[in-house]
């Protein structure tokens, strides 16, 4: 059985980099893409210059400007970002049809058998990054390995504008030295639990038996047991059937401020609308997810007769659902919104619900709606 050759491409600070490319006066400056502080906005993306101040996506803009008073706010141009994303994917398709987008700014590619018969996946990744730079004047980082997990972890090692290769014989040593927080799939709560149980690195994770990991982390224990051993058999899937679309934000600090929650839900509503535009889809059921500071998670849902399409309607109903929770009196650490019962917008009637095939996958925490 031949070893697979998987590439994970991740654009560098995509939204902010596009703005800096198109407006030379922004280059080298701390750029924040998103809502303005006076409008209770939220940061959708930020440049690397802004990240040095501790700013990150989903942070309330008012807090961001306190961290960096000289930050420059720019309104997002989603139509532009989507168009550039299509250009990027057209470059990918020159090398392989096995492209699995995760969002506008990242994707997996299986180049085991590529269209240009290039023997080395590293060479393919180098060519793709060069084509993106020459044609679009943007930079991308890439990870190359024999499975999706390792390729994704590798792409984050030398950001920005980096390339990291993890060969099969290098995987064990690489994972042994990797801090547990760098493992894809380990969120803040899981990291805290692992640290409490003396698991700080891949080497310490690999010492634990499968039974121990299942006891500590439930079904996720199987996943952690495999990935720390470099095992990930997931294939690169160009299209997948989705039953729902969702996006969520984990807050850097527990929040009791309903105004801040309003801003976050407005940001999440905007992201859902971006999903609709990309997939030409909508859905009848809106679900709010809340995780309290003590890690208890609850959901509240509502279904309407017509599919959700407008941001203001999503936000209005999201706030009504929020009123049915204890958020505020009880501090929260996460907010999420999801749309289910999806339909094609061109055929959206109550009698015509159907699953749709979307060329993308939704993952929390990505810079762009996925």
């Amino acid at each position: 059985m031949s070893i697979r050759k998987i590439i994970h491409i991740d654009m560098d600070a995509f939204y902010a980099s596009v703005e800096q490319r198109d407006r030379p006066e922004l280059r080298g400056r701390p750029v924040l893409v998103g809502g303005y502080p006076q409008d209770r906005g939220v940061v959708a993306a930020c440049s690397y210059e802004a990240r040095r101040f501790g700013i990150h996506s989903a942070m309330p803009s008012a807090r961001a400007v306190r961290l960096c008073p000289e930050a420059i706010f720019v309104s997002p141009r989603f139509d532009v970002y989507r168009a550039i994303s299509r250009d990027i994917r057209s470059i990918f398709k020159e090398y392989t049809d096995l492209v699995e987008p995760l969002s506008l700014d990242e994707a997996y590619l299986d180049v085991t058998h590529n269209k240009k018969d290039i023997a080395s996946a590293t060479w393919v990744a180098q060519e793709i990054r060069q084509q993106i730079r020459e044609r679009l004047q943007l930079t991308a980082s890439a990870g190359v390995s024999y499975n999706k997990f390792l390729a994704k972890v590798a792409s984050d090692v030398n950001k920005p504008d980096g390339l990291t290769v993890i060969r099969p014989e290098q995987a064990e040593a690489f994972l042994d030295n990797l801090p547990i927080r760098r493992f894809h799939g380990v969120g803040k709560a899981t990291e805290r639990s692992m640290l409490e149980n003396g698991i700080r690195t891949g080497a310490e994770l690999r010492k634990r038996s499968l039974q121990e990991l299942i006891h500590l982390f439930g079904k996720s224990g199987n996943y952690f047991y495999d990935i720390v051993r470099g095992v990930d058999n997931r294939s690169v899937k160009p299209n997948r059937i989705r039953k729902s679309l969702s996006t969520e934000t984990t807050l850097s600090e527990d929040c009791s401020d309903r105004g801040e929650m309003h801003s976050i839900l407005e940001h999440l509503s905007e992201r859902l609308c971006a999903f609709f535009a990309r997939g030409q889809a909508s859905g009848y059921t809106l679900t709010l997810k809340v995780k309290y500071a003590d890690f208890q998670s609850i959901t509240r849902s509502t279904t309407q007769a017509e599919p959700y399409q407008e941001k203001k309607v999503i936000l209005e109903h999201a706030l009504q659902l929020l009123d049915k929770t204890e958020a505020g009196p009880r501090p929260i650490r996460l907010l999420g919104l999801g749309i289910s019962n999806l339909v094609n917008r061109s055929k959206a009637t109550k009698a015509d619900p159907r699953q749709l095939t979307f060329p993308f996958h939704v993952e929390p925490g990505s810079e762009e709606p996925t």
Side-chain angles (χ1 to χ4, degrees), residues 19 31 63 83 110 171 181 186 197 207 224-225 244 330:
E19 299 303 332
V31 174
R63 184 182 303 169
D110 187 329
R181 68 179 180 278
V186 175
N197 285 279
K207 291 178 182 177
F224 296 137
Y225 184 84
S244 64
R330 289 180 65 182

Side-chain angles (χ1 to χ4, degrees), residues 248-249 251 255 261 265 287-300 318 321-328 330-337:
E248 62 186 40
T249 291
L251 309 180
C255 174
M261 295 178 202
L265 288 175
T287 298
L288 170 75
K289 177 181 178 182
V290 175
K291 182 180 288 187
Y292 296 112
D294 61 3
F295 294 97
Q296 179 191 7
S297 291
I298 59 100
T299 59
R300 297 290 184 267
L321 294 174
L322 187 67
D323 288 337
K324 297 179 181 180
T325 74
E326 299 176 74
R330 289 180 65 182
I332 66 166
R333 57 179 289 105
L334 177 147
L335 279 176
L337 285 180

Side-chain angles (χ1 to χ4, degrees), residues 3-41:
I3 296 175
R4 291 188 298 160
K5 300 175 181 179
I6 309 297
I7 301 172
H8 179 258
I9 299 285
D10 192 2
M11 300 300 295
D12 298 321
F14 183 48
Y15 293 179
S17 294
V18 170
E19 299 303 332
Q20 289 177 318
R21 181 198 70 175
D22 294 349
R23 296 175 56 183
E25 72 274 13
L26 298 180
R27 294 171 190 172
R29 307 285 297 280
V31 174
L32 307 182
V33 180
Y36 290 85
Q38 60 268 30
D39 299 325
R40 299 190 304 179

Side-chain angles (χ1 to χ4, degrees), residues 152-171:
K152 184 169 178 65
V153 173
S155 68
D156 196 44
V157 171
N158 289 313
K159 270 189 156 297
D161 197 20
L163 171 63
T164 300
V165 180
I166 304 175
R167 297 179 174 82
E169 65 273 15
Q170 300 170 323

